[in-house]
Amino acid sequence: MTQFSPDGSTTLIDLSVGLEPDVDSEPFPPEIEYRDHDDGAARLAAHLRELGHDIEAADFPDGHGLASEDLTLIPHAGTHMDAPWHYGPTVDGEPAKTIDEIPLEWCTGEAVILDFTWKEPRSEISADEVRSQLEDLDHELSPGELVFIETGADELWGTPEYLTAFPGMGAEATKYLVEQGIKVIGTDAYGFDKPFDEMGRRFAEADDDSELWPAHFAGRDIEYCQIEKMANLDALPRRTGVPVTAFPVTIEDASGGWVRPVAFVEEDA
């Protein structure tokens, strides 16, 4: 989704997908019960009666109350940020941060977008490939930047293939970025690591637990957050210096929280 600032000087580019019930691209899709205005009037009237007031649903203007929704979902549905606590209880021996402990300054800054649309689905992105992409951009990373991995997988959103047709980050590639001062890394794919079934296949073949969520578990050694299920990275007009905000929802003591990353692109970009 693209929107414009009131004076037309800035384009706002939505880099997220939403929370959708019954979508094939979520293994644990949100359950959303929609309550319309008639139901809203009945519920509000019932609550007011509990407070001692004599009121019926028909007493509301036009008989309509307030629409609402009841949601049952995990904080890793839709576009979301994983906190260090998601990866393990500690980071380099220190207690891992939960999502409500993430410094807001980590979540805003200039983004660098690395193009991995050429990578084969189910393959692993290496540190050398990350360095090569940065060389192609003639860009040296600076602390405080955010790095987004573009795979093109967001084009499959809403289909079962979204869960399996993307490359994932490797442990060394993840550590390399964090060692450059990067605290937030995002991907437009379902997951930050390779697809689940590919990791399972590699583990069974090698009998090696390093094949299981290697990029996630790198977060037990180095502190960082990752954003999964981003979108529209291809809509950004440049690959570096893109102002972005990506503040997660605060959930007490949680492993992650929903986030809506937005890029701000000036007219002359």
Side-chain angles (χ1 to χ4, degrees):
M1 180 185 298
T2 300
Q3 298 179 357
F4 298 93
S5 60
D7 64 1
S9 64
T10 304
T11 303
L12 280 60
I13 301 177
D14 188 350
L15 304 179
S16 70
V17 297
L19 297 172
E20 302 176 24
D22 305 318
V23 64
D24 288 336
S25 47
E26 294 270 24
F28 310 106
E31 297 177 12
I32 305 178
E33 184 177 356
Y34 296 92
R35 299 187 178 274
D36 65 15
H37 302 90
D38 292 338
D39 189 39
R43 296 180 89 190
L44 290 173
H47 181 60
L48 288 171
R49 288 195 297 273
E50 290 174 357
L51 296 174
H53 303 287
D54 184 15
I55 188 169
E56 300 294 333
D59 294 321
F60 282 85
D62 299 321
H64 289 164
L66 304 174
S68 64
E69 297 75 41
D70 293 340
L71 283 75
T72 303
L73 73 165
I74 62 173
H76 301 274
T79 306
H80 65 275
M81 180 181 289
D82 291 338
W85 176 256
H86 184 52
Y87 319 134
T90 61
V91 181
D92 195 24
E94 297 296 323
K97 288 182 176 65
T98 52
I99 197 67
D100 51 318
E101 297 174 320
I102 299 304
L104 291 180
E105 58 265 28
W106 288 11
C107 308
T108 185
E110 293 190 341
V112 177
I113 295 84
L114 303 183
D115 181 6
F116 285 100
T117 56
W118 52 272
K119 282 284 288 184
E120 286 294 319
R122 308 169 73 92
S123 64
E124 184 173 285
I125 297 169
S126 70
D128 283 343
E129 288 171 331
V130 168
R131 282 189 285 265
S132 177
Q133 289 296 311
L134 289 167
E135 289 172 4
D136 289 347
L137 293 175
D138 191 25
H139 183 77
E140 185 173 336
L141 292 173
S142 299
E145 289 184 306
L146 297 80
V147 172
F148 298 150
I149 307 300
E150 182 183 356
T151 71
D154 58 316
E155 295 180 3
L156 298 172
W157 173 256
T159 72
E161 289 75 22
Y162 180 75
L163 299 172
T164 59
F166 60 89
M169 288 285 282
E172 294 309 313
T174 303
K175 289 182 178 181
Y176 172 76
L177 288 175
V178 180
E179 287 165 356
Q180 312 311 306
I182 306 304
K183 286 295 190 180
V184 174
I185 311 169
T187 178
D188 61 4
Y190 166 73
F192 196 64
D193 278 283
K194 299 177 294 297
F196 287 11
D197 60 341
E198 178 64 16
M199 288 188 288
R201 184 193 69 77
R202 293 189 184 207
F203 170 76
E205 186 176 87
D207 192 23
D208 181 357
D209 62 9
S210 69
E211 295 289 353
L212 301 176
W213 281 268
H216 279 70
F217 292 151
R220 297 178 178 181
D221 300 322
I222 42 90
E223 187 179 50
Y224 83 102
C225 298
Q226 64 197 28
I227 303 175
E228 296 176 319
K229 305 180 194 174
M230 298 183 71
N232 303 323
L233 295 178
D234 59 337
L236 298 173
R238 58 178 183 266
R239 304 283 90 183
T240 63
V242 180
V244 168
T245 61
F247 298 125
V249 169
T250 297
I251 306 175
E252 186 175 3
D253 297 333
S255 61
W258 308 286
V259 63
R260 189 176 187 180
V262 175
F264 300 79
V265 181
E266 298 297 324
E267 188 178 43
D268 59 354

